[in-house]
Amino acid sequence: MKRGHFRVLLGAAPGVGKTYSMLEEGRRLKGEGADVVVAVVETHGRAGTSSMLLGFEVVPRSVSVHRGVELSEMNLEAVLARKPGVALVDELAHTNAPGSTHEKRWHDVEALLAAGIDVISTVNIQHIDSLADVVEQITGAKQRETVPDSVLRSADQIEVVDLAPQALRDRLAGGFVYPATRIDAALSNYFRLGNLTALRELALLWLADEVDSALKSYRAEHRIQSTWEARERVVVALTGGPEGETLLRRGARIAARSAGGQLLAVHVSSNDGLRGADPGALAAQRALVDSLGGSYHQVISDDVPRGLVEFARAENATQLVIGVSRRSRVGAALTGPGIGATVIRESGDIDVHIVTHAAAGGRFALPRLGGALTLRRRMIGLAVALVGGPLVTWLLVAVQTKDSITSDVLTYQLLVVVVALVGGFGPALFAALLSGLTLDFFFVDPIYTVTVTEPVHLLALGLYVLNATLVSVVVDIAARRTRSARRAAAESELLATVAGSVVRGQDALQALVTRTREAFALSSVRLLVDGQPTHVDGDTVPADSVTVVAVGTRAQLELHGADLAASERRLLSVIAAQLDAALEYSDLAETAGEVAPLAQADRVRSALLAAVGHDLRRPLTAATAAVSGLRATDVTLTQTDRDELLTTAQESLDSLSLLVTNLLDVTRLQAGALAVFLSPVDVEDVILPALDELDLGPAVVELDLPDDTSAVEADHGLLERVVVNLLSNAIRFSPPDQRVLISASEFGGAVEIRIADHGPGVPPERHNDIFVPFQRLGDTDNLTGLGLGLALSKGFVEGMGGTLEAEDTPGGGLTMVISLPAHQRTETAVPEPAP
């Protein structure tokens, strides 16, 4: 049976219009004659969405009762029996009720697709499994319902239903997304403008990466090597010379001409590396790349032009920016066309920009004749010997005289030195032997024979061959040492690049793993700590060769790709040592993080002791003075005076009792000895006793507590003390004609209790200050105390796994927001009745 077509509408946040768009598309298909049914749609009470259901065939839902609660779900069996052409299935990440055929709704969708039914579904970006932790960092809301990335990637079509963040907030404020009781909490929490902007960008980037991945897979399956200009990718080649800044700025302008253009800078280090590469200049150019929004890469290749082109092709680059040669015309004439001409010849369909700069065509410099003794170099040296030997012989024979033997020998000696410079020891030795025989044959009597009549001539020839051999050996050694030095420079540049990544705040371990893969042109590199992969870069497909390098005693570096040479393995040992140091640093940082709270606790205790002397003295002094006045025998007190002194003593002693209690609590809190006993607590069971304790009625406090609010995970006693303290502050600062509002709402797995007053409020820049111990913001009445109330409240709430924050009340005032985790009901399977 042919599998159904799967289409997903992806949204950045609730309320962008995914369900509405799905129904709109269903209506369009229905108008074209398709058999469309609504398998399940969640309208969430939105009038616009409900109106779109008119005219659709809606499959009745299945209803079940679990723990006394009636739950309705999509009736999978009924939809399969109906077998429509297209089924509209809302909220792909939804968890089905206990007892359903499948645990997740996306499992139901898989069943529909397997039955040949086309499905259009919806999902929000926060429900994608790989992005759930990122969304939690952005919004603070943990997602319990997720969809595996593989399910979405299996979709035949994914579309983003986009809405500007401010437009979504306007819809929310207008009551088109949530009921009025949830609007304020939603706008000030999940639906902050920054949150929505970040979620929107995350959705668009995820889809862009998915499209890019699909494009790469298609190109790989069809073996397409040519560049497809789906997105401008501009690669800038950096040599470490002064022209780098000019090239980078030109490349950035090219990338900026198209939406989504990318800038990549690459420095190719090689055994025949570019002369004049300045590490300081490379570091400055890398910083410029970061500021331009690009990425920096470094590769090692024996052939610089080919390494550059291969990198560009691997990145599917569309533009390649290189600088015009810094060599003079004389140098270019002596050493050939250079890197630029080679890059242009091998670039194929990649556009190459050769940019002029101030350092172009520099001063005259001798050509670089020394270098690595590659096969190509040796063959060139041999060719010079084979061609140069007969040519020199012909010239010398043409001008030969009786006294020219000395110049003849020196000319052949020069030929041997040139061959040694070009090809090294082997070709030079060949040239020395060949020139020695030629000298004997053409210039030493008897000529045209290889015999020597004078012993002194035989000695001279022997010394000549010896001198030529020694020169070739010295040149060969110098060339090899030059190669080693350049290799060491390339390795140093690689390590400097990694160190720069760490200094700029990049993850040290990931930077090392990434640069290792790039430097050695590997398919993938994995760092395994205690046998588990922690950092991976590249494709994780199996490779022909796997190299494993030990990193300390508990980690390994696993490299997939071609076998590495001995010199490369030596560099790997250095990288492994750096990885070991980075792991040790990570462990030390974790230990330091554990010590930091202890240091903070010590600072709080010191501040507490510094404040206790003064704040304890004030109520004690007042109480002592009042009692002394009552006991005085030399003063006659009226009943009114006695009552006033008794009241003062009572207030001071009450204040002292509260102060001592708070001091004990804050000490236990900072020492981590606060006993917290978490259990499900209904919000009403905390707020109502707090109102009774403070003797507050409807004339002073307004309640907005929805019946369907979940219980919170909290310590009943601690939470009640927090509410009492916050209510006391709100009543004290609220005007007599304005009631304090207590509301509760639930969103994203958390329950928020909001206590709002309409008093003078607190400046936004001081919201955090009010939670610092001993802060009273100018309040100094006899009942204020140390200013520990809000600090204790915040500590109590955080001890229960929640947060306490201050916000401005719309219209003026201060709103204290208690956010605690909602109680998660444990779902148990309902036993089926016996047949």
Side-chain angles (χ1 to χ4, degrees):
M1 179 181 296
K2 182 180 179 181
R3 179 180 172 84
H5 185 275
F6 187 23
R7 181 176 175 184
V8 177
L9 303 182
L10 176 66
V16 297
K18 300 180 304 301
T19 304
Y20 191 94
S21 299
M22 180 182 69
L23 293 172
E24 197 172 42
E25 179 63 12
R27 190 178 297 278
R28 185 188 68 80
L29 294 174
K30 186 177 176 65
E32 294 177 355
D35 182 16
V36 183
V37 302
V38 174
V40 60
V41 163
E42 307 291 352
T43 65
H44 299 290
R46 299 166 188 167
T49 305
S50 300
S51 65
M52 288 293 293
L53 285 171
L54 299 177
F56 278 107
E57 177 185 349
V58 180
V59 178
R61 298 192 184 193
S62 61
V63 180
S64 62
V65 178
H66 180 63
R67 294 187 175 181
V69 179
E70 188 176 279
L71 304 173
S72 63
E73 296 291 351
M74 181 181 80
N75 193 331
L76 176 62
E77 289 73 16
V79 178
L80 291 173
R82 169 66 174 76
K83 197 171 177 57
V86 180
L88 306 182
V89 181
D90 204 6
E91 296 189 359
L92 185 65
H94 174 74
T95 300
N96 292 328
S100 300
T101 305
H102 298 119
E103 179 185 1
K104 298 286 188 178
R105 186 167 289 171
W106 58 268
H107 290 143
D108 296 338
V109 168
E110 288 290 335
L112 296 177
L113 294 172
I117 301 173
D118 294 344
V119 175
I120 303 178
S121 188
T122 65
V123 70
N124 280 328
I125 191 70
Q126 69 262 28
H127 296 300
I128 299 179
D129 195 21
S130 64
L131 300 179
D133 56 339
V134 180
V135 174
E136 183 180 358
Q137 292 176 359
I138 295 172
T139 65
K142 184 176 180 59
Q143 300 299 325
R144 298 191 302 272
E145 297 180 330
T146 59
V147 178
D149 290 54
S150 58
V151 174
L152 291 181
R153 291 195 177 98
S154 68
D156 301 283
Q157 188 175 349
I158 302 178
E159 304 173 25
V160 171
V161 180
D162 192 28
L163 187 64
Q166 187 56 54
L168 178 55
R169 285 175 58 86
D170 293 342
R171 288 196 63 201
L172 183 63
F176 297 105
V177 180
Y178 292 138
T181 56
R182 297 179 58 186
I183 293 176
D184 288 342
L187 284 174
S188 59
N189 288 278
Y190 194 92
F191 287 83
R192 291 189 179 101
L193 187 60
N195 288 0
L196 296 179
T197 303
L199 293 175
R200 185 191 191 196
E201 182 181 15
L202 195 63
L204 295 175
L205 288 176
W206 186 89
L207 183 62
D209 290 342
E210 183 61 26
V211 172
D212 194 47
S213 176
L215 179 62
K216 287 183 178 179
S217 299
Y218 180 85
R219 285 164 52 84
E221 291 173 2
H222 292 78
R223 298 181 179 179
I224 299 174
Q225 299 296 327
S226 60
T227 300
W228 284 9
E229 300 184 7
R231 179 191 299 183
E232 288 288 356
R233 288 185 174 88
V234 182
V235 173
V236 177
L238 299 179
T239 66
E243 75 280 1
E245 182 175 344
T246 302
L247 301 184
L248 286 172
R249 296 191 185 279
R250 177 63 62 85
R253 290 196 295 272
I254 296 173
R257 292 173 186 170
S258 64
Q262 292 182 341
L263 176 67
L264 300 92
V266 59
H267 174 63
V268 181
S269 301
S270 71
N271 297 333
D272 289 328
L274 293 173
R275 184 170 60 182
D278 182 0
L282 280 177
Q285 291 164 16
R286 177 164 188 169
L288 179 60
V289 172
D290 293 339
S291 67
L292 294 174
S295 58
Y296 179 88
H297 306 266
Q298 182 167 339
V299 298
I300 296 177
S301 174
D302 290 333
D303 190 335
V304 174
R306 180 167 297 176
L308 183 58
V309 173
E310 287 178 353
F311 175 83
R313 291 195 181 282
E315 296 296 333
N316 194 27
T318 58
Q319 313 278 341
L320 184 56
V321 178
I322 62 177
V324 69
S325 176
R326 285 179 285 155
R327 300 174 302 159
S328 65
R329 293 181 179 179
V330 175
L334 291 174
T335 58
I339 292 177
T342 307
V343 169
I344 293 174
R345 185 174 63 251
E346 298 188 0
S347 62
D349 51 2
I350 301 177
D351 295 337
V352 179
H353 302 262
I354 299 182
V355 180
T356 187
H357 49 84
R363 62 181 176 83
F364 171 76
L366 290 174
R368 291 179 295 123
L369 298 179
L373 300 176
T374 61
L375 178 62
R376 179 172 175 269
R377 291 286 299 275
R378 292 194 296 270
M379 295 302 296
I380 292 176
L382 186 61
V384 170
L386 292 174
V387 174
L391 181 61
V392 168
T393 302
W394 177 74
L395 290 174
L396 293 178
V397 169
V399 297
Q400 181 181 12
T401 65
K402 293 182 178 180
D403 300 323
S404 62
I405 185 64
T406 303
S407 61
D408 295 341
V409 172
L410 292 177
T411 301
Y412 277 107
Q413 186 78 58
L414 177 62
L415 173 64
V416 174
V417 172
V418 171
V419 172
L421 291 174
V422 175
F425 175 76
L429 181 60
F430 171 76
L433 294 174
L434 180 63
S435 59
L437 292 175
T438 303
L439 275 170
D440 179 58
F441 189 83
F442 287 100
F443 302 98
V444 177
D445 293 327
I447 60 173
Y448 306 126
T449 66
V450 290
T451 60
V452 179
T453 57
E454 297 291 336
V456 67
H457 291 166
L458 180 62
L459 177 62
L461 286 176
L463 291 175
Y464 164 77
V465 173
L466 179 61
N467 289 337
T469 302
L470 293 176
V471 169
S472 64
V473 169
V474 171
V475 171
D476 186 81
I477 293 174
R480 292 182 182 276
R481 289 183 177 176
T482 301
R483 178 180 184 180
S484 300
R486 286 172 174 164
R487 178 68 185 184
E491 295 173 356
S492 299
E493 290 175 7
L494 173 62
L495 297 178
T497 298
V498 173
S501 301
V502 177
V503 169
R504 278 186 299 275
Q506 299 180 8
D507 179 70
L509 296 172
Q510 186 61 50
L512 284 163
V513 170
T514 300
R515 300 310 174 204
T516 301
R517 184 192 64 80
E518 291 178 349
F520 300 115
L522 301 169
S523 59
S524 68
V525 175
R526 298 197 308 167
L527 176 64
L528 291 85
V529 180
D530 297 329
Q532 298 297 323
T534 58
H535 296 78
V536 180
D537 188 79
D539 300 328
T540 56
V541 296
D544 297 335
S545 176
V546 179
T547 303
V548 178
V549 179
V551 178
T553 58
R554 63 188 186 97
Q556 291 179 323
L557 191 63
E558 190 175 272
L559 302 97
H560 297 257
D563 289 330
L564 302 180
S567 60
E568 293 173 331
R569 291 179 182 271
R570 181 173 59 83
L571 177 58
L572 274 179
S573 65
V574 178
I575 294 177
Q578 290 204 8
L579 280 169
D580 189 30
L583 283 172
E584 184 178 359
Y585 176 83
S586 177
D587 294 338
L588 292 175
E590 183 177 351
T591 303
E594 296 174 354
V595 173
L598 298 178
Q600 178 65 21
D602 288 338
R603 287 193 294 269
V604 172
R605 290 191 189 96
S606 298
L608 182 62
L609 292 173
V612 162
H614 175 269
D615 288 272
L616 280 178
R617 188 181 301 113
R618 182 164 45 83
L620 280 174
T621 301
T624 301
V627 174
S628 298
L630 289 172
R631 296 186 59 188
T633 58
D634 55 344
V635 179
T636 302
L637 300 176
T638 65
Q639 186 60 38
T640 302
D641 294 335
R642 296 177 65 85
D643 291 342
E644 185 175 347
L645 289 174
L646 286 172
T647 300
T648 300
Q650 182 66 44
E651 289 178 353
S652 299
L653 291 174
D654 289 343
S655 176
L656 182 61
S657 176
L658 177 61
L659 177 60
V660 172
T661 301
N662 285 342
L663 285 173
L664 293 174
D665 285 341
V666 80
T667 302
R668 289 189 298 145
L669 188 65
Q670 296 297 335
L674 180 68
V676 178
F677 302 97
L678 298 180
S679 63
V681 177
D682 289 330
V683 174
E684 296 89 344
D685 293 343
V686 173
I687 294 177
L688 296 180
L691 294 175
D692 291 340
E693 180 177 339
L694 298 174
D695 194 20
L696 301 176
V700 182
V701 177
E702 177 185 355
L703 296 180
D704 181 13
L705 306 176
D707 295 333
D708 58 349
T709 303
S710 299
V712 297
E713 289 288 344
D715 184 301
H716 189 286
L718 294 181
L719 183 56
E720 184 175 332
R721 289 188 61 187
V722 171
V723 173
V724 167
N725 183 63
L726 298 181
L727 265 176
S728 300
N729 285 342
I731 296 298
R732 185 149 60 96
F733 291 107
S734 191
D737 59 340
Q738 294 282 350
R739 293 192 296 174
V740 173
L741 174 63
I742 304 178
S743 63
S745 60
E746 182 177 359
F747 183 77
V751 175
E752 290 186 346
I753 303 173
R754 309 173 76 85
I755 301 176
D757 66 60
H758 295 278
V762 176
E765 63 272 12
R766 300 213 59 185
H767 281 179
N768 292 330
D769 294 344
I770 63 178
F771 296 109
V772 179
F774 325 123
Q775 298 294 320
R776 295 189 290 270
L777 298 186
D779 232 353
T780 57
D781 61 70
N782 192 45
L783 299 177
T784 300
L786 279 174
L788 295 173
L790 289 178
L792 278 173
S793 298
K794 187 176 182 66
F796 289 163
V797 174
E798 292 178 348
M800 293 182 286
T803 60
L804 176 60
E805 296 179 347
E807 297 178 356
D808 291 331
T809 302
L814 188 68
T815 299
M816 305 301 295
V817 184
I818 305 170
S819 179
L820 290 166
H823 173 61
Q824 306 298 321
R825 298 181 178 88
T826 304
E827 305 290 353
T828 57
V830 179
E832 299 182 358

